[in-house]
Amino acid sequence: MKVNGINSVNVLQKNGLPVSSVHKKNINLCPSINSISGICYKPVSFGRTWAEHKSWGAVVDPDSKEVSFKLLTYPDTKKVEVTVQKRNNENSVKTYQLMNSGNGVFVTDKKIPAGEVSHGDKYFYTLYKGNGEVARVKDPYSFRQESLLGASTVYDHSLYEWKDENWYKNDKRRISRLANNQNGLSRVDSARIYEFNTASLTKKGTFESAKAVIKSLPQLGFNAIEIMPVENTYSFNWGYDGVDKMSPSEHLGGPDALKSFIDFAHEQGLNVIMDMVPNHLGPDGATLLKTGPFIKGKNAFGEAFNFEGQNSRYVRDYIVNAAINWVDNYHCDGLRLDMTKFMESDYTMKQIAAEINYHKPEAFLIAEDGRSSISVDDNGNFWNNSDEPHDKRVVNPLKPFESGIGENEEIHCGAIENISNGNTALGRLGYDSEWDFNYYHTLKDGLYGVINLDRFEKACYCSQDRVKYVMSHDEIGNYEGSRLLAKLIAPMLHLNDCVVVDNKDKERALALKELKGCSIDEAMNTVAIQKAQFIAEKLAILLQTGQLDRYNTDGILYKKWINIIDKAFKDEVLATNGIKKNSGITYDSLRRMYTRSFDKNKMALARTFSIPGPKMIFQGDERADLTPFRFFREFSSIKNEDYLYVEKGYKPGKPALLDSKFGHIKYSSAAKSMMNKFRNLTRDLNLLNEQNSALTKGVLIAENTVKHQFSQVIATHAKDVDNNNEIFSITNFNDSDYPRYNAADYYIKFPAGEWVEVLNTDDRKYGGTGNFINSNTISSDGVNNIPIKLAGESTVIFKRVK
């Protein structure tokens, strides 16, 4: 059955749900919607014209160079003035009075002649409020903010000469919501994303220096980059504490440098996804509460936007225009919206999707939301995998006149749900994809312990249209900041039970108890776990830099010397790093656990890349780098963030930033060789996805999934019917090798056909043993089990050739 060009059975299969469990009323039959390669597209908007979107702030006419100003403030404000200082003459200052056009909107009554106000001039607004207060504020729409709390800068976007014309005209690598067979563009589900943080990516930490890093990404098979937020802040920052939503950070290079970087990325064939923060303002340098009705109060992260309260119409427009700013002024191909559920306004989410789709229909949208695995039954009931109800606005058509929505905004909001492919929960809000928390957490179970294959199977099916990853910046940096390689070593060596808890640790645990309101036992356990992770990270780095080589007892025949070396390892390494001497840890066990961790990382990455849809890797993880990614930021208004030390075990200031920069770990030649082999795996997985449509737009075939609970083996079958392309992927979460010594091969049922192995994480070129390669073609009748070789903690990928 096809609805608006979408094969509904495939859609339901991709959600991992039977047809009967989907609310059929949510499949809209709308004759005005055009089908473009399985994507529903309708140019529905919230009634905002392009001229209105582009009218806010200090706007320089690209042709006449005349300038206009437009500001949102409180509706009872009596008067607004804008004061302009010429960039080359600090004594040349002129003030203009803005006209009150109602509802708190003040504008210039006519454009200011060219030259009277120009690109580079400084300006600020003076508000004469109804309560008698006089306030001087920067521009919420500042396109350049050179001083966090100082005057804004007039910035003429038209002065930058873009060089990416061919990217928009001819380049088939460009990812577009409107991709189809006729235009040859790439679909969103083909995205292979490299996520990075500009400040920590290079020693200089700028857009310009980042060019050298991204230049090599196409050779590794990536076709997209995701830039963690660059919204302006006081100093170095992860990016999620930005306060100037339209202005790139001056510390990273400012507007022109960002444009040059994006130009360069397009030249390399890389799509650019900008991470933006629509849910809050950072605590340092925010003036929107002072300026107008932008803020409703606090949320978990900072000041929360007033999206559905009194006088909220232009506040919603503000965040919509912030999204348009990145797509239009900076040529970003897509957007990633941070923690959208904390916007607490699906109405605003739909407005962003609708206006982007209407005015920039090729741009795609990815949300980090956290409301995954939502099911809707025939009665319209909605549940997640924990049997907890979710916000009805996610799964039901939006009705007009919700809280704070004026009558002048009455539209058929249900049509917005047809903008995207609708295969994910957020598809109902007009989003093309979303970050998949659920997939990560079920995968993590298999990395740290015994995996629940039924739950993992469902996670794989639900993940097909979502952005899946082994680790993102959150899973690394929101904890102690260590990489997965180090995180896995701690439980494998039982470090949680072996760390020495000293008085400093106990003091921190008491502070954590007060901060979190937990018991002292819970606090002590948290402190011990974090300390174990830090120690595991240090041991891994010592191992990979060759500083522990002298404790290697390989080739030593005399037990006396072995005992002496083992004792030295305990005294000089374990004891000095806070590990009990009776832990039983040796150099050899550390080395073996590092190898296992390396294998687990390879297994997880290959498993993730064998599921259809978009994938992502965080900076450094493409080569198994051990460089930490700590949480770092610096404020002018907050001088003491000791609570973050209590919570994380380190301070988030300059040392955390320097720890997170690549280059300070001096790896041994052996370590570099292993990292290059992991890099080879990343390249080949990307290439496999590029060459096999089953891994992008294909679907998982439920009846061919194989689950062996006892041996912790799962196999999935991805298929693209249109291109006759099929991939069968087998993952062994157990550490047992097959065949074992003097034992039979591992038997598993393949789908019917002839299959050849195209990737095996145990291959020597990926740092494996090479002992479990399947070199012969496998012929299957689809009924009988077939013997194969399967290394412990590995993923093997087969392709159907006949």
Side-chain angles (χ1 to χ4, degrees), residues 284-533:
D284 197 15
T287 60
L288 287 185
L289 183 61
K290 186 179 179 181
T291 304
F294 292 92
I295 305 301
K296 69 176 182 180
K298 298 281 188 180
N299 64 14
F301 307 111
E303 292 183 353
F305 285 104
N306 169 36
F307 287 136
E308 294 191 12
Q310 190 174 10
N311 303 314
S312 60
R313 192 262 203 199
Y314 294 111
V315 180
R316 291 192 299 278
D317 287 2
Y318 173 71
I319 210 66
V320 170
N321 290 335
I324 288 176
N325 173 60
W326 299 119
V327 174
D328 181 51
N329 292 326
Y330 290 93
H331 288 204
C332 292
D333 304 282
L335 299 175
R336 182 263 193 189
L337 282 73
D338 177 65
M339 287 308 295
T340 48
K341 72 177 179 181
F342 288 106
M343 292 171 65
E344 299 177 334
S345 175
D346 291 338
Y347 191 99
T348 306
M349 286 186 69
K350 287 188 176 185
Q351 184 171 342
I352 292 171
E355 291 298 307
I356 288 285
N357 181 71
Y358 186 81
H359 296 290
K360 292 287 182 178
E362 292 187 334
F364 56 94
L365 299 176
I366 300 170
E368 180 197 26
D369 192 83
R371 294 175 290 189
S372 61
S373 300
I374 299 176
S375 305
V376 189
D377 63 23
D378 289 337
N379 298 317
N381 298 317
F382 48 97
W383 309 94
N384 73 350
N385 59 0
S386 300
D387 292 332
E388 296 173 349
H390 272 275
D391 190 334
K392 291 181 180 180
R393 290 173 297 179
V394 177
V395 293
N396 294 334
L398 183 68
K399 297 177 181 179
F401 317 127
E402 289 189 7
S403 174
I405 311 302
E407 291 187 12
N408 62 331
E409 295 192 289
E410 180 177 1
I411 59 172
H412 180 53
C413 295
I416 297 164
E417 299 184 1
N418 293 285
I419 290 172
S420 73
N421 59 20
N423 292 347
T424 66
L426 294 187
R428 301 180 183 279
L429 299 180
Y431 288 73
D432 302 278
S433 189
E434 58 192 284
W435 273 29
D436 197 342
F437 292 165
N438 189 52
Y439 173 78
Y440 162 74
H441 285 293
T442 54
L443 175 66
K444 183 177 72 171
D445 291 344
L447 292 172
Y448 285 93
V450 177
I451 192 164
N452 182 323
L453 290 182
D454 291 331
R455 184 175 172 222
F456 186 67
E457 177 192 16
K458 182 178 180 181
C460 290
Y461 281 102
C462 290
S463 187
Q464 292 176 89
D465 291 294
R466 297 172 179 145
V467 177
K468 56 202 125 298
Y469 47 84
V470 177
M471 299 284 277
S472 74
H473 69 272
D474 278 333
E475 286 75 34
I476 302 170
N478 279 346
Y479 299 93
E480 79 293 334
S482 66
R483 300 289 177 147
L484 181 60
L485 270 168
K487 290 182 191 294
L488 290 173
I489 291 174
M492 288 193 291
L493 290 175
H494 304 288
L495 281 178
N496 294 354
D497 302 319
C498 301
V499 296
V500 177
V501 179
D502 56 25
N503 289 333
K504 186 177 180 181
D505 297 324
K506 293 175 182 177
E507 290 174 5
R508 183 172 155 242
L510 286 171
L512 186 63
K513 171 182 175 293
E514 296 300 318
L515 179 67
K516 297 295 185 181
C518 59
S519 69
I520 187 61
D521 288 341
E522 290 174 314
M524 285 293 294
N525 185 56
T526 298
V527 169
I529 289 173
Q530 288 176 335
K531 187 170 185 178
Q533 295 286 6

Side-chain angles (χ1 to χ4, degrees), residues 559-576:
K559 189 173 182 179
K560 175 182 177 182
W561 286 107
I562 293 175
N563 291 338
I564 291 173
I565 293 172
D566 283 346
K567 184 179 185 304
F569 181 78
K570 290 178 183 178
D571 294 339
E572 298 168 4
V573 177
L574 301 184
T576 57

Side-chain angles (χ1 to χ4, degrees), residues 238 323 389 430 449 503 664 670 726:
W238 260 24
N503 289 333
H664 63 83
E726 299 181 50

Side-chain angles (χ1 to χ4, degrees), residues 100-116:
N100 188 344
S101 63
N103 299 314
V105 178
F106 284 77
V107 300
T108 46
D109 57 352
K110 60 181 179 179
K111 290 184 178 180
I112 301 170
E116 193 171 319

